[in-house]
Amino acid sequence: MKIIDKYILKRYLVTFSVMLIMFIPIGITIDVSEKVNKMIEKKIPLKDILIYYGDFTIYFANLLFPIFLFLSIIWFTSKLANNTEIIAILSSGISFGRFLRPFMYGAVIVSIFALLMGFFFVPKASKGFNDFRYQNLKGNSQTRETSDIFRQIKKEGKLEENIYVSNYNYLSQTGFSFTYEKFNDNRLVEKVTAHRIRYDEKTKKYTLFGYNKRLVGERNDQIESLDKKEVAYNFEPDDLTPVIYVAETMTIGELNAFINKERARGNGNINIYLVVFYKKFSLPISAFILTIIAVSVSSMKRRGGMGINLAIGIVIAFTFIFFDKVFGTLAEKSSIPPFIAVWFPNLVFGILAVYLLRNAKR
């Protein structure tokens, strides 16, 4: 590695680190100012608060990683341009592609770091961050899937059970309009319905009110109707109503296993989990795309100086975040395949990166 490579790579990594060190305390300060009254009111122990802000730091840095990276590259590349260092480098016979190489080294280091953080460290921080907010600050239980809950359980490709609840209140452990169907070789053999169902954590059993059971026979069906009956099922409320942010709290291996299990159950909200899964891979790749765009935009010396480059950088960075959030939401709420929705912003900005790079080379 030549001296110029070491020089640029050092500036790349140091500026990115300084950007994180500068903005994270600002984020913490804003968060403290908003929540300090509730923390004092609920007498939350200092130890819990410190752990929360440790998780907040990791969660916040991961959330705004593209903006931090993009602005840091814009900043130090603009300084190189304003000091005519880039002109001197290119005038010495080094091509723009060769000049870009140490930036790509930096992108590799940052993307590997982001990948490992997203796989193993961010999930734990996300769980601590969200759990603290819901338990201590929001004054209610964790947000869960509670409406039109439908689960399918399959084994070796064959349907075994269908479970449906129109609405479930996790605080009272009570559901309404319950339906349970059991299959044998994809043939319905048992169907249970109830107006209301309540789970008992001590006995691990369900009490069904307005209980109706039909055993399907070859010629005649057996019907049982009771006002109330206690039944043991092999599923618990946590299986039916996972928290909305459950995917964010799992390592890559746990998330993959969870998605396979929920897919087998016929979970209608599977796209929410797939978006989180694909973003663990798309976010590190964006480091390369944003690096190319930032260098291409800021390598030219402009009349407005560094301010113009920063303004352009801020617009592009927030546009990227906007695309990422919009298409992620569309994947969760509509029929757009999660893989396409998650990778579409990278595709669009990848094309923009190629276009800007070609112009910069000229």
Side-chain angles (χ1 to χ4, degrees):
M1 185 180 290
K2 295 185 177 181
I3 294 176
I4 187 65
D5 294 330
K6 292 180 180 179
Y7 174 69
I8 293 176
L9 180 58
K10 180 181 178 181
R11 295 285 295 273
Y12 183 109
L13 297 176
V14 169
T15 308
F16 176 57
S17 301
V18 170
M19 189 71 70
L20 288 175
I21 294 171
M22 284 176 56
F23 279 94
I24 287 176
I26 295 174
I28 291 175
T29 301
I30 295 173
D31 193 74
V32 169
S33 65
E34 291 178 350
K35 299 179 173 62
V36 63
N37 290 335
K38 287 187 177 180
M39 291 178 179
I40 294 173
E41 180 183 339
K42 296 198 172 184
K43 299 180 180 179
I44 302 173
L46 179 61
K47 178 183 176 182
D48 293 346
I49 294 174
L50 293 176
I51 292 174
Y52 165 71
Y53 279 108
D55 294 331
F56 175 89
T57 297
I58 298 174
Y59 183 86
F60 183 72
N62 180 73
L63 183 67
L64 298 180
F65 157 76
I67 294 179
F68 292 151
L69 178 67
F70 195 75
L71 293 182
S72 64
I73 299 171
I74 289 277
W75 176 269
F76 87 83
T77 308
S78 296
K79 288 189 70 176
L80 292 178
N82 288 341
N83 295 334
T84 66
E85 293 179 74
I86 295 178
I87 295 175
I89 292 170
L90 298 179
S91 298
S92 67
I94 295 177
S95 66
F96 194 86
R98 178 64 183 82
F99 166 69
L100 188 63
R101 186 186 298 177
F103 289 91
M104 292 295 99
Y105 294 155
V108 169
I109 295 172
V110 170
S111 64
I112 291 175
F113 178 75
L115 199 67
L116 294 175
M117 289 292 290
F119 280 6
F120 303 109
F121 299 101
V122 173
K124 182 180 178 181
S126 179
K127 177 175 174 55
F129 172 77
N130 282 294
D131 286 351
F132 183 91
R133 287 172 63 231
Y134 281 102
Q135 293 170 10
N136 298 305
L137 303 177
K138 287 188 174 275
N140 54 25
S141 63
Q142 298 166 321
T143 300
R144 292 178 176 268
E145 301 170 16
T146 56
S147 299
D148 292 325
I149 301 163
F150 176 72
R151 298 288 185 270
Q152 281 186 334
I153 299 175
K154 295 181 180 180
K155 188 175 182 180
E156 297 179 354
K158 293 183 179 181
L159 180 62
E160 287 197 339
E161 295 174 313
N162 275 343
I163 305 161
Y164 174 79
V165 182
S166 65
N167 185 271
Y168 195 90
N169 188 317
Y170 193 82
L171 288 177
S172 63
Q173 302 282 46
T174 302
F176 301 90
S177 300
F178 171 75
T179 300
Y180 171 82
E181 297 175 333
K182 189 174 182 180
F183 296 82
N184 185 12
D185 289 329
N186 291 324
R187 182 177 66 87
L188 180 66
V189 295
E190 178 183 333
K191 181 172 183 177
V192 175
T193 60
H195 302 309
R196 182 162 56 95
I197 180 172
R198 187 175 65 218
Y199 180 69
D200 190 328
E201 292 185 354
K202 294 181 180 179
T203 62
K204 304 297 181 182
K205 292 183 179 180
Y206 293 88
T207 302
L208 278 65
F209 300 86
Y211 174 86
N212 286 283
K213 178 179 178 180
R214 178 186 293 270
L215 294 176
V216 180
E218 293 184 2
R219 296 183 179 180
N220 298 313
D221 294 348
Q222 298 180 26
I223 299 175
E224 180 184 6
S225 297
L226 297 169
D227 291 335
K228 182 172 71 172
K229 184 171 183 177
E230 194 175 70
V231 183
Y233 288 114
N234 61 354
F235 57 85
E236 296 184 6
D238 282 338
D239 298 323
L240 293 178
T241 61
V243 292
I244 295 297
Y245 57 86
V246 66
E248 299 177 12
T249 68
M250 297 179 178
T251 63
I252 189 67
E254 293 170 342
L255 180 56
N256 186 51
F258 177 77
I259 288 173
N260 291 333
K261 183 179 74 172
E262 292 302 301
R263 185 182 279 120
R265 288 178 170 179
N267 188 341
N269 293 319
I270 194 72
N271 284 357
I272 296 175
Y273 312 132
L274 288 172
V275 167
V276 175
F277 181 80
Y278 292 134
K279 278 188 176 182
K280 289 182 181 293
F281 297 93
S282 68
L283 188 63
I285 297 300
S286 68
F288 295 94
I289 297 170
L290 294 175
T291 295
I292 294 173
I293 294 175
V295 174
S296 301
V297 167
S298 58
S299 59
M300 293 177 60
K301 190 173 182 179
R302 304 177 189 275
R303 287 185 178 181
M306 193 183 301
I308 296 297
N309 288 338
L310 284 175
I312 295 173
I314 290 172
V315 170
I316 293 176
F318 278 97
T319 303
F320 178 85
I321 296 295
F322 175 77
F323 267 68
D324 183 63
K325 295 299 180 184
V326 167
F327 280 92
T329 302
L330 286 175
E332 294 173 1
K333 304 297 182 181
S334 67
S335 59
I336 296 178
F339 182 85
I340 294 176
V342 170
W343 285 96
F344 186 76
N346 277 351
L347 176 63
V348 171
F349 281 81
I351 294 171
L352 176 63
V354 172
Y355 171 76
L356 294 174
L357 182 60
R358 286 183 177 179
N359 285 343
K361 285 181 178 181
R362 294 174 187 175

PDB file of all heavy atoms in Angstrom, residues 27 72 104 122 148 156 158 177 184 236 278 342 360:
ATOM      1  N   GLY A  27     -27.384  13.168  19.840  1.00  0.00           N
ATOM      2  CA  GLY A  27     -28.595  12.354  19.884  1.00  0.00           C
ATOM      3  C   GLY A  27     -28.978  11.973  21.295  1.00  0.00           C
ATOM      4  O   GLY A  27     -30.155  12.001  21.669  1.00  0.00           O
ATOM      5  N   SER A  72     -19.227  12.179   6.218  1.00  0.00           N
ATOM      6  CA  SER A  72     -17.807  12.169   6.574  1.00  0.00           C
ATOM      7  C   SER A  72     -16.926  12.131   5.330  1.00  0.00           C
ATOM      8  O   SER A  72     -15.889  12.816   5.268  1.00  0.00           O
ATOM      9  CB  SER A  72     -17.492  10.984   7.491  1.00  0.00           C
ATOM     10  OG  SER A  72     -17.701   9.751   6.837  1.00  0.00           O
ATOM     11  N   MET A 104     -12.258   2.655  -1.485  1.00  0.00           N
ATOM     12  CA  MET A 104     -12.885   1.334  -1.512  1.00  0.00           C
ATOM     13  C   MET A 104     -12.336   0.443  -0.389  1.00  0.00           C
ATOM     14  O   MET A 104     -13.079  -0.360   0.178  1.00  0.00           O
ATOM     15  CB  MET A 104     -12.649   0.678  -2.870  1.00  0.00           C
ATOM     16  CG  MET A 104     -13.377   1.350  -4.033  1.00  0.00           C
ATOM     17  SD  MET A 104     -15.189   1.241  -3.891  1.00  0.00           S
ATOM     18  CE  MET A 104     -15.586   2.863  -3.226  1.00  0.00           C
ATOM     19  N   VAL A 122     -26.122  -5.368  17.123  1.00  0.00           N
ATOM     20  CA  VAL A 122     -27.293  -4.493  17.018  1.00  0.00           C
ATOM     21  C   VAL A 122     -28.567  -5.171  17.539  1.00  0.00           C
ATOM     22  O   VAL A 122     -29.381  -4.517  18.204  1.00  0.00           O
ATOM     23  CB  VAL A 122     -27.486  -3.999  15.570  1.00  0.00           C
ATOM     24  CG1 VAL A 122     -28.804  -3.237  15.425  1.00  0.00           C
ATOM     25  CG2 VAL A 122     -26.317  -3.097  15.164  1.00  0.00           C
ATOM     26  N   ASP A 148     -56.497 -10.094  13.783  1.00  0.00           N
ATOM     27  CA  ASP A 148     -56.557 -11.076  12.690  1.00  0.00           C
ATOM     28  C   ASP A 148     -55.322 -11.977  12.681  1.00  0.00           C
ATOM     29  O   ASP A 148     -54.589 -12.067  11.693  1.00  0.00           O
ATOM     30  CB  ASP A 148     -56.709 -10.367  11.339  1.00  0.00           C
ATOM     31  CG  ASP A 148     -58.067  -9.695  11.204  1.00  0.00           C
ATOM     32  OD1 ASP A 148     -59.046 -10.259  11.722  1.00  0.00           O
ATOM     33  OD2 ASP A 148     -58.138  -8.621  10.595  1.00  0.00           O
ATOM     34  N   GLU A 156     -43.525 -31.572   7.026  1.00  0.00           N
ATOM     35  CA  GLU A 156     -43.165 -32.256   5.779  1.00  0.00           C
ATOM     36  C   GLU A 156     -44.095 -31.849   4.648  1.00  0.00           C
ATOM     37  O   GLU A 156     -44.524 -32.683   3.832  1.00  0.00           O
ATOM     38  CB  GLU A 156     -43.194 -33.779   5.981  1.00  0.00           C
ATOM     39  CG  GLU A 156     -42.180 -34.272   7.003  1.00  0.00           C
ATOM     40  CD  GLU A 156     -42.241 -35.774   7.218  1.00  0.00           C
ATOM     41  OE1 GLU A 156     -43.149 -36.423   6.647  1.00  0.00           O
ATOM     42  OE2 GLU A 156     -41.395 -36.290   7.961  1.00  0.00           O
ATOM     43  N   LYS A 158     -47.137 -30.994   4.727  1.00  0.00           N
ATOM     44  CA  LYS A 158     -48.556 -31.279   4.948  1.00  0.00           C
ATOM     45  C   LYS A 158     -49.103 -30.385   6.058  1.00  0.00           C
ATOM     46  O   LYS A 158     -48.469 -30.208   7.088  1.00  0.00           O
ATOM     47  CB  LYS A 158     -48.761 -32.749   5.310  1.00  0.00           C
ATOM     48  CG  LYS A 158     -48.438 -33.704   4.166  1.00  0.00           C
ATOM     49  CD  LYS A 158     -48.724 -35.143   4.564  1.00  0.00           C
ATOM     50  CE  LYS A 158     -48.430 -36.099   3.424  1.00  0.00           C
ATOM     51  NZ  LYS A 158     -48.730 -37.513   3.791  1.00  0.00           N
ATOM     52  N   SER A 177     -63.234 -14.749  19.077  1.00  0.00           N
ATOM     53  CA  SER A 177     -63.533 -15.445  17.809  1.00  0.00           C
ATOM     54  C   SER A 177     -62.414 -16.428  17.469  1.00  0.00           C
ATOM     55  O   SER A 177     -61.776 -16.347  16.415  1.00  0.00           O
ATOM     56  CB  SER A 177     -63.729 -14.439  16.671  1.00  0.00           C
ATOM     57  OG  SER A 177     -64.795 -13.575  16.950  1.00  0.00           O
ATOM     58  N   ASN A 184     -55.330 -34.253   9.101  1.00  0.00           N
ATOM     59  CA  ASN A 184     -54.587 -35.508   8.965  1.00  0.00           C
ATOM     60  C   ASN A 184     -54.496 -35.829   7.481  1.00  0.00           C
ATOM     61  O   ASN A 184     -55.526 -36.017   6.819  1.00  0.00           O
ATOM     62  CB  ASN A 184     -55.298 -36.644   9.717  1.00  0.00           C
ATOM     63  CG  ASN A 184     -54.492 -37.929   9.705  1.00  0.00           C
ATOM     64  OD1 ASN A 184     -53.318 -37.932   9.341  1.00  0.00           O
ATOM     65  ND2 ASN A 184     -55.132 -39.022  10.101  1.00  0.00           N
ATOM     66  N   GLU A 236     -48.301 -21.082  22.748  1.00  0.00           N
ATOM     67  CA  GLU A 236     -48.498 -20.082  23.794  1.00  0.00           C
ATOM     68  C   GLU A 236     -48.747 -18.713  23.159  1.00  0.00           C
ATOM     69  O   GLU A 236     -48.489 -18.529  21.962  1.00  0.00           O
ATOM     70  CB  GLU A 236     -47.263 -20.021  24.707  1.00  0.00           C
ATOM     71  CG  GLU A 236     -47.025 -21.308  25.477  1.00  0.00           C
ATOM     72  CD  GLU A 236     -45.871 -21.191  26.448  1.00  0.00           C
ATOM     73  OE1 GLU A 236     -45.334 -20.073  26.606  1.00  0.00           O
ATOM     74  OE2 GLU A 236     -45.497 -22.217  27.046  1.00  0.00           O
ATOM     75  N   TYR A 278     -33.205  -8.884   5.078  1.00  0.00           N
ATOM     76  CA  TYR A 278     -32.490  -8.417   3.887  1.00  0.00           C
ATOM     77  C   TYR A 278     -31.697  -7.136   4.155  1.00  0.00           C
ATOM     78  O   TYR A 278     -30.643  -6.913   3.552  1.00  0.00           O
ATOM     79  CB  TYR A 278     -33.466  -8.197   2.731  1.00  0.00           C
ATOM     80  CG  TYR A 278     -34.077  -9.477   2.206  1.00  0.00           C
ATOM     81  CD1 TYR A 278     -35.451  -9.566   1.960  1.00  0.00           C
ATOM     82  CD2 TYR A 278     -33.287 -10.592   1.958  1.00  0.00           C
ATOM     83  CE1 TYR A 278     -36.015 -10.746   1.481  1.00  0.00           C
ATOM     84  CE2 TYR A 278     -33.850 -11.770   1.488  1.00  0.00           C
ATOM     85  CZ  TYR A 278     -35.218 -11.843   1.254  1.00  0.00           C
ATOM     86  OH  TYR A 278     -35.766 -13.002   0.781  1.00  0.00           O
ATOM     87  N   VAL A 342     -36.176  -3.897  -0.557  1.00  0.00           N
ATOM     88  CA  VAL A 342     -34.997  -3.573   0.243  1.00  0.00           C
ATOM     89  C   VAL A 342     -33.809  -3.203  -0.646  1.00  0.00           C
ATOM     90  O   VAL A 342     -33.055  -2.271  -0.350  1.00  0.00           O
ATOM     91  CB  VAL A 342     -34.632  -4.755   1.160  1.00  0.00           C
ATOM     92  CG1 VAL A 342     -33.272  -4.541   1.807  1.00  0.00           C
ATOM     93  CG2 VAL A 342     -35.695  -4.923   2.248  1.00  0.00           C
ATOM     94  N   ALA A 360     -17.082  12.299 -13.131  1.00  0.00           N
ATOM     95  CA  ALA A 360     -15.924  12.717 -12.360  1.00  0.00           C
ATOM     96  C   ALA A 360     -14.634  12.355 -13.076  1.00  0.00           C
ATOM     97  O   ALA A 360     -13.645  13.095 -13.012  1.00  0.00           O
ATOM     98  CB  ALA A 360     -15.962  12.057 -10.981  1.00  0.00           C
TER      99      ALA A 360
END
